[in-house]
Amino acid sequence: MKSYKNVYNKLCSYKNLILAFKKTRKHKTLKPYVIEFEKNLKENLLTLQTELFLHSYKPKPLETFILRDPKTRKISKSDFRDRIVYHAICNIIEPIFDRSFIYDSYANRKDKGSIKALKRFDYFKRKVSRNNTRDAFILKADIKHYFEEVNHEILVKIIKKKIKDGNVIWLIKQILNNFNSKTKGVGMPLGNLTSQFFANAYLNELDYFIKYKLKVKYYIRYVDDFVILHNNRFLLEYYKDNIKEFLNTVNLELHPNKSKIISLKKGINLLGFRVFYHYKLLNKRNIRKVKNNLSKLQYKLDGGNIDYDKVYTIFEGWLAYSKHANTYKLRKKLINHFELMFPNQVSSIEVNRLLKRFNQ
C-alpha cells in the first residue's frame, strides 16, 4: 500500500488555501461573513497559513441547530475560516484515499451521487432477477447512529495507513476533538465537509470486508446505508450475521429496525424512491417535501428574498430528479400546482429558450 509522507506543506500552501477559499465561498458570495473575509483576503489566508504551520490553529466552537427534513437531525455549522481548512484538507488527502475506495461507494464522491447509485441498483436488479424473471431479495441495512459512533482512534489509524505525515494527523485530531460528543473520542458532526470524507474512509473497511472477504458481487453503499442483492435469502442472512460481527470490530452496529431482508416484489425504499421489479415511484415523503418547499419559495418570493429565476431553476431541478421514476402524471399535477402558485411570472430562462427556438 502506497503511503504519503510530506503532505502538510502542500496542504498549507497559499495555492491550496486560495483554492479552498474559492470552494468554500461557492454559492455564498453575498453572505456578510464572506464579504468581510474577502476584504483582506490575502492577509487572512496568510494568517491562517501561519497558524497551521505553527500549530496554533484551533477551530472555533461549532454552532448547532436542529433540522427536521423530515427526520430530526442535529446539524453542526462551522465558522467560515474553519470551512476553508476543511476544504484544504480534502483537496489534498481525499484524492489519495478515493483511489482505494470501491467503485460502488456513491456518496460525496466526484462523478457519483444518488442517481448513479439508483441506476447501478437497476443494473444489479436485472442481473440478480435475470431480467425480472426470478425472485430477487435485498439486504437493506443501516448503521445505527453512525456519525455519533465513529471512533476517533480507529479513524486515525485508518488515515495513518496512507498518511504518514504527523502534522496532518495533528490537524485532523484538532478537527475531531472540536466536536462535543456524549462520549470523548467518539462521534463526528453532521454538516462538516471533513465528516463526509471521514465517513467514507471509515466505512471503506466495511466495503473491503463485504467485497473481498465475503466476496459479495452486488453491493452498493451510500454513506451509512447499504444494500446487497441476491436470489438466495438464506445467503443474505449469512452475510448479515458476518457484517454484524465485523462492525463490532470498528465499534459500530446495524440498526435493528432498519436492517432487514426484503423481497423486491414488495418494493424497496432507496434514496428517495420506491423501487419495484418493473417500475419506480417517488417516496410520498419526497412529494410532501417538494410541496412544502414550494410554499417556502412562494413566501420568500413575496418577501423579496429570492427572484423568480431561482424559484424556476429549483423547480426544474426537482422535475429532472423526479423523471428517474414513473412520475408522468405526478409531474403534470405539480406543474399545474406550480403555475397556480406563481401566476403571471416569467423566467428569463423560459424567455431565452423561446428566443433560441425562434432563431433556429
Side-chain angles (χ1 to χ4, degrees), residues 6-14 16 49 53 165 167-168:
N6 302 309
V7 179
Y8 199 64
N9 284 352
K10 197 174 178 183
L11 191 157
C12 298
S13 69
Y14 188 81
N16 188 42
Q49 184 186 52
F53 276 131
D165 190 324
N167 292 312
V168 175

Side-chain angles (χ1 to χ4, degrees), residues 48 52 57 81-90 171 175:
L48 184 57
L52 289 168
Y57 166 76
R81 190 170 183 265
D82 295 323
R83 280 179 268 158
I84 294 172
V85 174
Y86 304 158
H87 272 286
I89 293 169
C90 290
L171 182 56
I175 292 162

Side-chain angles (χ1 to χ4, degrees), residues 104-121:
D104 288 312
S105 165
Y106 284 88
N108 309 309
R109 295 179 67 196
K110 190 178 178 183
D111 300 323
K112 295 289 183 177
S114 60
I115 296 302
K116 289 205 173 175
L118 194 71
K119 287 178 179 177
R120 186 69 162 168
F121 182 87

Side-chain angles (χ1 to χ4, degrees), residues 24-58:
T24 312
R25 181 188 61 178
K26 197 173 181 181
H27 305 306
K28 297 177 182 69
T29 51
L30 299 178
K31 296 282 186 184
Y33 57 81
V34 177
I35 294 166
E36 187 61 32
F37 192 92
E38 203 166 3
K39 279 180 188 174
N40 299 300
L41 179 60
K42 189 170 183 179
E43 184 184 332
N44 286 331
L45 289 180
L46 288 173
T47 301
L48 184 57
Q49 184 186 52
T50 302
E51 287 178 22
L52 289 168
F53 276 131
L54 294 177
H55 284 201
S56 60
Y57 166 76
K58 191 170 177 61

Side-chain angles (χ1 to χ4, degrees), residues 259-304:
S259 302
K260 52 187 76 172
I261 294 164
I262 303 160
S263 169
L264 193 56
K265 285 177 185 175
K266 295 180 179 179
I268 176 174
N269 286 317
L270 185 71
L271 302 169
F273 295 85
R274 183 90 178 150
V275 184
F276 297 85
Y277 277 106
H278 300 285
Y279 62 96
K280 285 191 285 293
L281 302 174
L282 271 173
N283 280 349
K284 288 179 181 177
R285 193 171 73 187
N286 252 358
I287 298 165
R288 284 196 301 271
K289 183 179 171 183
V290 75
K291 287 180 177 176
N292 290 337
N293 285 346
L294 283 175
S295 297
K296 288 175 186 175
L297 289 169
Q298 186 183 41
Y299 179 77
K300 283 184 178 181
L301 185 70
D302 291 344

Side-chain angles (χ1 to χ4, degrees), residues 195-359:
S195 295
Q196 295 169 14
F197 162 64
F198 294 152
N200 273 338
Y202 202 88
L203 285 182
N204 192 46
E205 305 289 303
L206 172 66
D207 296 341
Y208 269 66
F209 174 76
I210 291 173
K211 291 294 290 181
Y212 301 110
K213 288 282 196 264
L214 296 180
K215 301 192 184 301
V216 171
K217 196 170 182 181
Y218 303 115
Y219 165 71
I220 295 167
R221 180 173 64 79
Y222 194 92
V223 195
D224 57 330
D225 293 320
F226 62 89
V227 292
I228 297 173
L229 297 88
H230 209 280
N231 49 42
N232 187 326
R233 189 181 195 116
F234 299 105
L235 188 58
L236 290 176
E237 291 283 5
Y238 168 79
Y239 290 154
K240 186 180 177 184
D241 290 341
N242 277 267
I243 289 165
K244 275 183 185 176
E245 285 182 25
F246 175 81
L247 287 174
N248 286 336
T249 68
V250 288
N251 284 32
L252 298 173
E253 62 177 297
L254 288 179
H255 198 295
N257 303 323
K258 296 179 182 177
S259 302
K260 52 187 76 172
I261 294 164
I262 303 160
S263 169
L264 193 56
K265 285 177 185 175
K266 295 180 179 179
I268 176 174
N269 286 317
L270 185 71
L271 302 169
F273 295 85
R274 183 90 178 150
V275 184
F276 297 85
Y277 277 106
H278 300 285
Y279 62 96
K280 285 191 285 293
L281 302 174
L282 271 173
N283 280 349
K284 288 179 181 177
R285 193 171 73 187
N286 252 358
I287 298 165
R288 284 196 301 271
K289 183 179 171 183
V290 75
K291 287 180 177 176
N292 290 337
N293 285 346
L294 283 175
S295 297
K296 288 175 186 175
L297 289 169
Q298 186 183 41
Y299 179 77
K300 283 184 178 181
L301 185 70
D302 291 344
N305 297 316
I306 194 171
D307 61 38
Y308 181 68
D309 273 10
K310 182 69 175 173
V311 172
Y312 187 83
T313 302
I314 291 168
F315 185 64
E316 271 210 324
W318 188 86
L319 286 177
Y321 170 80
S322 68
K323 280 180 182 177
H324 293 283
N326 302 79
T327 56
Y328 177 75
K329 288 181 181 178
L330 172 66
R331 279 181 278 127
K332 278 190 80 173
K333 279 183 184 177
L334 281 168
I335 289 166
N336 290 336
H337 180 64
F338 181 81
E339 287 171 351
L340 286 170
M341 287 184 78
F342 302 97
N344 307 317
Q345 296 280 2
V346 180
S347 163
S348 65
I349 299 163
E350 294 172 278
V351 173
N352 289 335
R353 277 187 194 142
L354 286 169
L355 287 171
K356 194 174 180 181
R357 281 181 198 165
F358 182 75
N359 293 325

